[in-house]
C-alpha cells in the first residue's frame, strides 16, 4: 500500500485546484449563497471536541437556519435524544462545519466558522414552531462559505426515487437497540411506539 503522508504528495497526485474552485470561497454570505440557506431543510453539522469528531443531522422547515447578517448564521436546536454531542463540542471547541442540502438540487453549500450557544429566551421564542420555542440557538460566525459542485449528488442519484432504499430492507431502530442493549430494550415495542412518540417530540 502506497501511503500519502504529505501535502506535496497529495498535490502531485491530484494537482492544484482550478480557478473556479478557489474564487467561489468567500468570508461572508452573498445573496446567491443565502438563497441556498433559505431553501435548505437539512444541514449536516460537524464539530470537534476532546472525545473526537462528530457529525450530526439538523432538519427543520426550509429556511430554519436564519441569516442574521452576512457574517452570522443562527440555527435552532429542538427536542432530541439529549446526547447534545455537538453542543458539548462547541462549548469546548467553537470550530464548526455545515453542509446545506436542498432536495432536488445537486449543489450543496458549505460553511466553516466558529460557534457559540445561547439559550436567550426571546431569541429561542423567535424560532417557535407549533407553539414550542427552540431549546437553544447555535450562533455561527462565518469564516468561509462556498458551494460544492453537484458531482457527489449526481453520482449517488440521491434525489432519484427509483434509487431509494426500501425501509423494510434495513434494520429498524428497535432491532438495533435490542441488540446493542443486550435485550434490555424491547425492539418491537420501541418500533411500535415510535410514531406516536415522534409526534410529541418532533418540535
Amino acid at each position: 500500500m502506497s501511503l500519502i503522508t504529505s501535502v506535496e504528495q497529495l498535490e502531485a497526485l491530484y494537482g492544484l485546484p482550478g480557478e473556479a474552485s478557489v474564487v467561489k470561497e468567500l468570508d461572508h454570505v452573498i445573496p446567491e449563497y443565502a438563497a441556498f440557506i433559505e431553501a435548505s431543510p437539512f444541514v449536516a453539522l460537524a464539530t470537534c471536541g476532546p472525545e473526537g469528531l462528530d457529525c450530526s443531522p439538523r432538519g427543520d422547515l426550509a429556511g430554519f437556519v436564519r441569516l442574521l447578517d452576512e457574517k452570522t448564521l443562527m440555527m435552532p436546536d429542538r427536542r432530541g435524544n439529549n446526547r447534545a454531542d455537538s453542543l458539548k463540542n462547541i462549548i469546548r471547541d467553537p470550530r464548526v462545519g455545515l453542509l446545506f442540502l436542498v432536495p432536488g438540487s445537486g449543489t450543496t453549500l458549505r460553511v466553516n466558522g466558529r460557534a457559540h450557544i445561547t439559550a436567550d429566551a426571546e431569541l429561542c421564542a423567535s424560532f417557535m414552531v407549533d407553539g414550542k420555542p427552540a431549546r437553544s440557538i447555535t450562533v455561527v460566525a462565518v469564516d468561509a462559505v462556498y458551494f460544492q459542485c453537484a458531482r457527489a449528488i449526481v453520482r449517488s442519484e440521491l434525489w432519484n426515487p427509483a434509487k431509494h432504499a426500501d425501509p423494510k430492507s434495513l434494520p429498524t431502530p428497535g432491532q438495533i437497540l435490542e441488540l446493542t442493549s443486550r435485550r434490555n430494550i424491547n425492539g418491537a415495542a420501541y418500533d411500535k411506539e415510535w410514531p406516536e412518540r415522534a409526534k410529541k417530540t418532533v418540535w
Side-chain angles (χ1 to χ4, degrees):
M1 183 169 57
S2 181
L3 294 178
I4 296 175
T5 59
S6 71
V7 173
E8 290 75 18
Q9 288 176 296
L10 194 64
E11 289 178 346
L13 178 63
Y14 282 90
L16 297 176
E19 181 184 13
S21 296
V22 176
V23 299
K24 65 184 178 182
E25 181 178 336
L26 301 173
D27 66 355
H28 62 284
V29 180
I30 57 176
E32 290 76 8
Y33 285 164
F36 284 92
I37 294 171
E38 293 164 357
S40 174
F42 181 87
V43 179
L45 170 65
T47 60
C48 180
E51 290 80 25
L53 302 176
D54 184 73
C55 187
S56 175
R58 292 289 189 271
D60 218 322
L61 301 176
F64 73 102
V65 176
R66 186 180 299 171
L67 190 64
L68 179 62
D69 55 50
E70 65 177 14
K71 291 285 292 184
T72 313
L73 304 178
M74 298 188 297
M75 180 168 58
D77 191 72
R78 305 205 183 274
R79 293 180 63 87
N81 58 18
N82 293 332
R83 284 182 57 111
D85 294 324
S86 299
L87 304 184
K88 291 174 184 175
N89 280 350
I90 288 170
I91 289 172
R92 296 173 291 182
D93 186 334
R95 294 175 297 170
V96 297
L98 297 92
L99 177 67
F100 291 85
L101 274 71
V102 179
S105 173
T107 302
T108 59
L109 189 74
R110 297 171 63 171
V111 175
N112 296 326
R114 292 155 289 109
H116 68 266
I117 303 162
T118 177
D120 179 82
E122 185 174 346
L123 184 58
C124 288
S126 74
F127 283 87
M128 189 174 296
V129 175
D130 284 354
K132 297 178 181 179
R135 300 185 78 178
S136 67
I137 306 296
T138 299
V139 182
V140 179
V142 175
D143 289 330
V145 54
Y146 52 98
F147 75 88
Q148 185 78 31
C149 72
R151 287 189 181 93
I153 303 296
V154 171
R155 289 172 184 147
S156 67
E157 297 191 62
L158 184 63
W159 308 127
N160 181 357
K163 298 292 185 176
H164 290 179
D166 180 355
K168 294 179 181 178
S169 69
L170 300 171
T172 67
Q175 289 170 337
I176 296 170
L177 286 171
E178 185 166 319
L179 173 66
T180 57
S181 71
R182 298 182 180 180
R183 300 191 182 279
N184 286 331
I185 294 176
N186 184 313
Y190 182 93
D191 288 333
K192 183 177 180 180
E193 294 166 2
W194 165 247
E196 193 61 34
R197 187 164 60 250
K199 293 178 184 177
K200 298 177 181 178
T201 61
V202 67
W203 300 115

